[in-house]
Amino acid sequence: MTPLHVHDYGGDGPQLVLLHGFSRSLADWDAAATLLAAGHRVLSVDLPGHGRSPDTSSWTMPTVVRHIADTLDAHGVPEAVLVGHSLGGMVAVEYARANPNRARAAVNLDGFWWGREYPGADRVGEALLASSGAVAPPEYIEEKAANDSARLGIPADRAEAAARAAARLLPDGTWQTLPERATALEIRDELHELGALGVTTWLDGADCPLLLVQAGRRLPPAPGLEWFDDFSTRFGQEVSDELAALSRTRPTITVSRIDATHAMNLEAPEAVATLVSDYVRGLLQPS
């Protein structure tokens, strides 16, 4: 397999591997990764079909996990704590499940999904696919960055760098959003399969230490997507209830919350870095 695109932040200490969310790239981690590199060895990865990584013939969790394992082999990383945001959080858990001898732990930052039959899932799927593989005008990056900065409070330069890294510049100066539509369809179907299990059943068999984090605040409603606030509030509460029950019965599971929206690694990199650092430090302390 062709190794995935990575960014090596250097640093000394426990190895961290950072994974981004759907339609995003490893650039989302720049601010948090720089902070984490003060006490860790840090590598970030573009998932297949995202950023500067090649696509894969079939976007399934087992295939993506194998791509990540091969990439880490190529960079001399035999063991790591996998830290993923959103889609990347689900991938981190699946990597830990498939590679118990290579994953010291997995951190899932707000990476939870729903089944195909979950009320409202079809509308979310349509919105997700609408922005995949589209060709956008030359001013797309500046407009998206300005919107993300105003809506989420992300510094303008950070928002622009993240938007630029997550899209592909075409020869005529336009931009193609990533992943491409065929890949997005495969990702959606994969997430629906995992989401249909429910959080409790999904995490059965994932026996390594897990830190499962939810966003403490909802995303501000976007024009035309006000209905999504009700959807995410309802789903978030259901996930919260399951996580609370799991944390009482499974000592390897730690549950936390960050005072930020779903875009936490862009919006609150200091809080994310502190949470991850404290968790990894706790793992290494003698019991």
Side-chain angles (χ1 to χ4, degrees):
M1 294 184 182
T2 303
L4 302 173
H5 175 241
V6 306
H7 185 94
D8 188 345
Y9 290 89
D12 292 311
Q15 177 75 59
L16 303 181
V17 174
L18 310 180
L19 307 174
H20 60 82
F22 178 84
S23 80
R24 306 300 307 177
S25 84
L26 57 74
D28 283 10
W29 279 106
D30 278 351
T34 301
L35 297 170
L36 287 166
H40 307 82
R41 181 84 170 82
V42 182
L43 198 74
S44 60
V45 180
D46 273 336
L47 294 173
H50 292 74
R52 290 170 57 191
S53 279
D55 217 329
T56 179
S57 58
S58 176
W59 210 106
T60 65
M61 284 294 182
T63 299
V64 171
V65 163
R66 286 197 300 273
H67 274 289
I68 293 171
D70 288 349
T71 299
L72 297 186
D73 283 343
H75 287 269
V77 179
E79 182 186 59
V81 175
L82 278 291
V83 183
H85 170 248
S86 196
L87 169 63
M90 299 184 76
V91 174
V93 171
E94 291 303 303
Y95 181 93
R97 187 200 308 277
N99 298 280
N101 297 324
R102 302 185 55 160
R104 180 173 288 184
V107 178
N108 177 355
L109 301 172
D110 217 26
F112 306 98
W113 203 256
W114 40 85
R116 193 181 306 274
E117 303 305 318
Y118 189 81
D122 54 342
R123 295 185 74 181
V124 179
E126 289 171 6
L128 179 144
L129 292 172
S131 61
S132 299
V135 175
E139 60 271 19
Y140 164 75
I141 297 298
E142 287 74 16
E143 291 179 354
K144 177 168 176 51
N147 179 68
D148 289 347
S149 182
R151 182 167 171 251
L152 302 175
I154 301 169
D157 57 344
R158 186 184 304 160
E160 181 170 347
R164 190 176 300 276
R168 177 185 295 144
L169 180 62
L170 300 177
D172 63 357
T174 60
W175 295 88
Q176 182 182 30
T177 60
L178 297 172
E180 296 189 24
R181 183 176 176 84
T183 299
L185 284 165
E186 291 182 324
I187 296 173
R188 182 202 60 183
D189 292 346
E190 194 75 1
L191 293 180
H192 277 156
E193 284 192 27
L194 293 178
L197 300 172
V199 174
T200 303
T201 301
W202 171 48
L203 295 177
D204 282 348
D207 297 325
C208 79
L210 299 176
L211 173 60
L212 307 172
V213 182
Q214 283 187 283
R217 291 187 276 114
R218 301 264 70 83
L219 286 164
L225 293 174
E226 290 81 5
W227 57 269
F228 183 69
D229 185 55
D230 291 336
F231 176 96
S232 58
T233 298
R234 169 169 36 95
F235 179 72
Q237 185 58 57
E238 293 172 7
V239 170
S240 182
D241 292 343
E242 285 200 71
L243 293 181
L246 280 171
S247 67
R248 291 192 293 267
T249 59
R250 293 193 38 193
T252 57
I253 288 181
T254 303
V255 173
S256 189
R257 192 174 289 268
I258 283 183
D259 183 25
T261 73
H262 180 69
M264 56 183 66
N265 52 345
L266 281 166
E267 180 185 330
E270 298 85 359
V272 169
T274 297
L275 180 66
V276 172
S277 295
D278 289 348
Y279 177 69
V280 173
R281 187 180 305 114
L283 287 177
L284 301 179
Q285 290 177 348
S287 56

